[in-house]
Amino acid sequence: MKEGMPALRSRLAFKVIGNFVSFAVSAALQFLIPRTLGPQSYGVFGFVTSFFTSVCGILDSGTSTAYYSTLSRGRVYYGLVTVYARLITVLSLLSVVVTAGLLAVPTLATAIWPGVSSSVVVLGFLWAISVWWGQLVEKTNDAMGMTVPAERLRVFFRIVLVLLVLGAYVLKILDLKTALLLQICVNLLMVFATSRKVVNELKIERSVAEVSREGAISAAPVFWNGAKPLIFYSIVSSGVLLLERWVLQLSGGSEQQGYYNFALQIASIFVLVTSAVSTILNREFAAAFHRENHDFIVRAFHTAVSVSYWVAAGMASFIAINAEFLTHVVAGKEFASASIVVFVMSYYPVHQVLGQLCGVVLFSRGDTSYYRNIGLSTSVVGLLVVALLVAPRWGGGLGALGLALKAVILQVISVNWMLHGVVRRLNMKFGGFLLRQFLAVCSFTSIAFVVQKIVLSWFGGVGFVSLAFEMMLFTLISLVGSRLFPLFFGLTKQDLIWINTELAVIYRYFCKLLSSREEKD
C-alpha cells in the first residue's frame, strides 16, 4: 500500500484542486444565473433539469456505481469500458425517442411539465444527458487512475463556462435558454475531451474487439453482482425524486421551485470540497478489499469520516448562521423568502458526505443489498413526508421549506442507519461516531452564532467586510478549538496527526511540482 501512496496523494491533490475550481465555478454561476433569471425562471430551470436528472438516474439504474467499482479493481476489467459505453448510447437514444413522443402530445406535455415550454424541455433534456455523460466519463477516468490529466481538462472547461456565462451577463443576453445552452455546449466539449483522454492513454482503439471481448467476459459477473441489487432501488429512488419536484411544481409553482433549487445548489456547492476524498478512496478501497487489507480500510475509513465530517460541519454551520445575508448577496432581494430554506439545506451536505463514504465501503465490499434496502425504505417514507409537508391539499403546504426539511431529516436517518451497518461490518464502534457527529454540529453552530453576534456588535450591521472578518474569526476559533478539544469537533488525536502529516506531504508535493516546472522553463 505504501508504494501506491505517492500516486494516491497526487490524484487526491488534483481531485481537491478540481473540486475547489468546481466550487468557485458553481459559486460564480449561482451568483449570475439566479440573480438574472429571478425566482420564477430559475424555478423552471431547476424543475426541468432536476426532472431529467432523475430520468437519467432511472436510465442509469445504479449500473454506473457497479461499473466504477468493477473498473477500479484493475486493468483486467478495462474491457468493460467499451461495452458499457454502447449500453449508455442505446439508453440515451431510447430516452430521446420517449421524450420526443411525449412532447408530440400537448396534453401529456402540459401535465408532465406544467408551466414549461417545449423548447425549454428539450434544452433541459440535453443538459441532463450531457451532465450524465460527463459523470460517467469522470468515473472512468478516476477508476483507471487517470485523475490528474482529466482534472486538468475539467478545470479548463469549467473556467471557460464561467467566462461564457459572465460574457452573456455583461451583454445582457443571459436568459433561461442561453444559460442552458451554454452549459450544454461546454459539457459536451468536456465529455469529448476527457473521453478522448481515456482512448488515447490506454490505446483502446488498437484492440477494441479483443479488449471488449476478453475484458467484458471477466468483468461481467463482478459488474452484475454489484449492479443487480441497485437496479430496482435506483429506479425507485430516482422516480421518487422526480415525483417530489413535480409535487412541488404543482403545489408551489415555479417560485417555490426556484427557492428550493437555489438552496439545494448552495448546499451542493459545498459537497464538492469534501467529495474528492470519497471519489479517490473508492478506488483504493476496492483494491484493498480485493487484497483483503482490512487494517488499511479501518484506518482510512475512520480518518476519512472524521476529517470529511469536520470540514462539512464547519462550512455548513457558518453558511446556516449567515443564510439571510448570503441569500441576499448571491441571489438578490427577490429571493429573500428563500433564506429560511437555505438555512435548513445548509446542513444537508454534512451527512451527504458521510453517506458517500459509507457507500464507498459498501460498494467496495460488493455489499450493495444493504445499501439498496436502506434507500428503498427511506425513499418510500420520504414520499409520504413530502405529501404531508409540501402538498397543501393533503398536508402543511410548506412548499420549498417542507421539501428542505424532508431532505435533511431523511438524510440524517438514512446515513446513520447506513453508518451503523458499515462500522458493524468493520468491527468498529458506532456510538463514538454518533457522539462526534452531535458534538461537531453543536460546537460549530454555537461558535458561528456567537461570532456573528460579536462581529455585528462591532460593525453595526452585516456587510462584505464584516462577513470576511466573521469568517476569519470563526475559522481561527474553530481551528484552535479543534486542536485543544478535538472530541467536541468530531476528531481524535490520531485524526489531527493525520491532517498535519498529509498537509505537509501535499505542500511538499506542490513545492516539488513548482520547482520542477521552473527548472524546465
Side-chain angles (χ1 to χ4, degrees):
M1 191 67 218
K2 290 181 180 179
E3 294 178 358
M5 287 306 292
L8 171 61
R9 288 189 179 113
S10 175
R11 293 197 302 274
L12 182 57
F14 271 90
K15 199 68 181 177
V16 170
I17 291 172
N19 280 19
F20 267 107
V21 172
S22 296
F23 171 86
V25 168
S26 299
L29 295 180
Q30 279 299 104
F31 181 81
L32 295 171
I33 296 177
R35 178 179 287 271
T36 304
L37 299 184
Q40 288 282 346
S41 293
Y42 191 63
V44 173
F45 176 93
F47 172 62
V48 73
T49 53
S50 68
F51 183 95
F52 283 110
T53 298
S54 296
V55 170
C56 289
I58 293 172
L59 294 173
D60 186 291
S61 300
T63 57
S64 63
T65 303
Y67 165 74
Y68 178 77
S69 296
T70 304
L71 209 58
S72 297
R73 297 191 176 205
R75 300 183 66 89
V76 68
Y77 298 113
Y78 283 4
L80 185 61
V81 175
T82 51
V83 178
Y84 191 72
R86 291 166 187 162
L87 173 64
I88 295 304
T89 302
V90 172
L91 291 174
S92 299
L93 292 174
L94 178 64
S95 64
V96 170
V97 174
V98 173
T99 303
L102 292 173
L103 285 172
V105 184
T107 306
L108 281 176
T110 303
I112 296 172
W113 303 290
V116 183
S117 65
S118 298
S119 58
V120 173
V121 170
V122 172
L123 289 173
F125 169 80
L126 293 175
W127 181 94
I129 288 290
S130 67
V131 170
W132 183 36
W133 288 352
Q135 291 169 345
L136 295 175
V137 175
E138 183 175 3
K139 287 182 177 181
T140 304
N141 294 141
D142 291 336
M144 291 181 168
M146 297 169 53
T147 302
V148 174
E151 281 303 319
R152 286 173 179 160
L153 287 171
R154 290 191 185 91
V155 166
F156 169 75
F157 282 108
R158 285 161 184 158
I159 294 172
V160 168
L161 176 60
V162 170
L163 293 176
L164 289 173
V165 173
L166 181 61
Y169 177 80
V170 171
L171 295 173
K172 297 182 179 180
I173 59 172
L174 183 61
D175 56 15
L176 175 58
K177 293 181 181 178
T178 304
L180 285 167
L181 192 58
L182 288 176
Q183 292 183 63
I184 292 166
C185 292
V186 173
N187 286 341
L188 290 176
L189 287 172
M190 185 161 58
V191 166
F192 176 77
T194 51
S195 60
R196 286 299 302 171
K197 203 72 180 176
V198 174
V199 174
N200 291 335
E201 291 282 338
L202 299 178
K203 310 300 181 184
I204 293 177
E205 73 273 20
R206 292 183 180 179
S207 55
V208 67
E210 179 184 348
V211 171
S212 296
R213 182 173 60 254
E214 296 180 1
I217 289 173
S218 61
V222 179
F223 170 76
W224 178 244
N225 288 335
K228 183 171 58 175
L230 292 175
I231 293 175
F232 181 66
Y233 155 68
S234 298
I235 292 173
V236 171
S237 61
S238 297
V240 166
L241 290 174
L242 188 152
L243 287 173
E244 288 176 356
R245 297 298 289 266
W246 184 72
V247 169
L248 181 61
Q249 183 74 9
L250 282 179
S251 60
S254 297
E255 186 171 320
Q256 287 294 313
Q257 194 79 245
Y259 294 158
Y260 179 77
N261 196 64
F262 174 74
L264 180 62
Q265 292 304 312
I266 292 293
S268 300
I269 288 173
F270 293 96
V271 177
L272 294 171
V273 179
T274 50
S275 63
V277 179
S278 63
T279 302
I280 299 301
L281 282 180
N282 200 335
R283 185 176 189 272
E284 301 305 314
F285 278 7
F289 274 114
H290 190 63
R291 295 192 303 269
E292 299 182 355
N293 191 346
H294 182 77
D295 291 338
F296 167 78
I297 294 164
V298 170
R299 290 197 307 271
F301 178 75
H302 184 281
T303 303
V305 165
S306 299
V307 175
S308 297
Y309 194 89
W310 175 67
V311 174
M315 291 190 300
S317 300
F318 183 82
I319 296 301
I321 295 300
N322 293 279
E324 185 175 355
F325 176 71
L326 290 172
T327 301
H328 175 74
V329 169
V330 174
K333 293 184 291 185
E334 290 184 279
F335 281 82
S337 299
S339 59
I340 183 62
V341 188
V342 173
F343 172 81
V344 174
M345 287 299 291
S346 296
Y347 290 100
Y348 183 77
V350 179
H351 284 83
Q352 185 173 5
V353 169
L354 196 56
Q356 288 175 341
L357 293 170
C358 290
V360 166
V361 175
L362 293 174
F363 291 132
S364 299
R365 283 172 53 94
D367 196 359
T368 49
S369 298
Y370 184 73
Y371 182 90
R372 174 202 60 195
N373 295 339
I374 294 174
L376 285 174
S377 301
T378 52
S379 294
V380 174
V381 173
L383 196 56
L384 295 175
V385 174
V386 167
L388 290 172
L389 295 179
V390 178
R393 185 177 299 178
W394 308 293
L398 296 177
L401 177 59
L403 194 53
L405 288 169
K406 170 263 167 188
V408 174
I409 293 171
L410 266 294
Q411 180 87 307
V412 172
I413 294 172
S414 62
V415 166
N416 277 289
W417 184 1
M418 194 187 307
L419 178 63
H420 179 267
V422 169
V423 298
R424 183 163 51 84
R425 284 161 171 77
L426 297 179
N427 296 319
M428 303 168 73
K429 294 182 179 180
F430 175 68
F433 285 101
L434 193 61
L435 176 63
R436 288 196 293 273
Q437 286 178 51
F438 175 76
L439 291 176
V441 171
C442 289
S443 298
F444 281 120
T445 302
S446 299
I447 292 172
F449 179 78
V450 172
V451 166
Q452 185 194 58
K453 295 302 178 185
I454 293 173
V455 172
L456 287 179
S457 67
W458 290 347
F459 286 85
V462 183
F464 286 107
V465 176
S466 64
L467 184 67
F469 188 81
E470 180 186 338
M471 183 168 60
M472 288 188 292
L473 187 59
F474 169 78
T475 303
L476 178 62
I477 294 174
S478 298
L479 290 175
V480 173
S482 299
R483 170 70 65 177
L484 298 176
F485 311 102
L487 176 63
F488 288 93
F489 293 85
L491 297 174
T492 63
K493 291 182 180 180
Q494 288 75 18
D495 295 328
L496 292 177
I497 294 172
W498 184 89
I499 292 171
N500 292 335
T501 303
E502 291 303 309
L503 286 177
V505 169
I506 291 174
Y507 173 75
R508 288 197 298 269
Y509 171 80
F510 279 112
C511 287
K512 183 179 179 181
L513 187 66
L514 289 173
S515 62
S516 64
R517 288 188 175 182
E518 289 176 359
E519 291 175 2
K520 289 180 181 179
D521 294 338

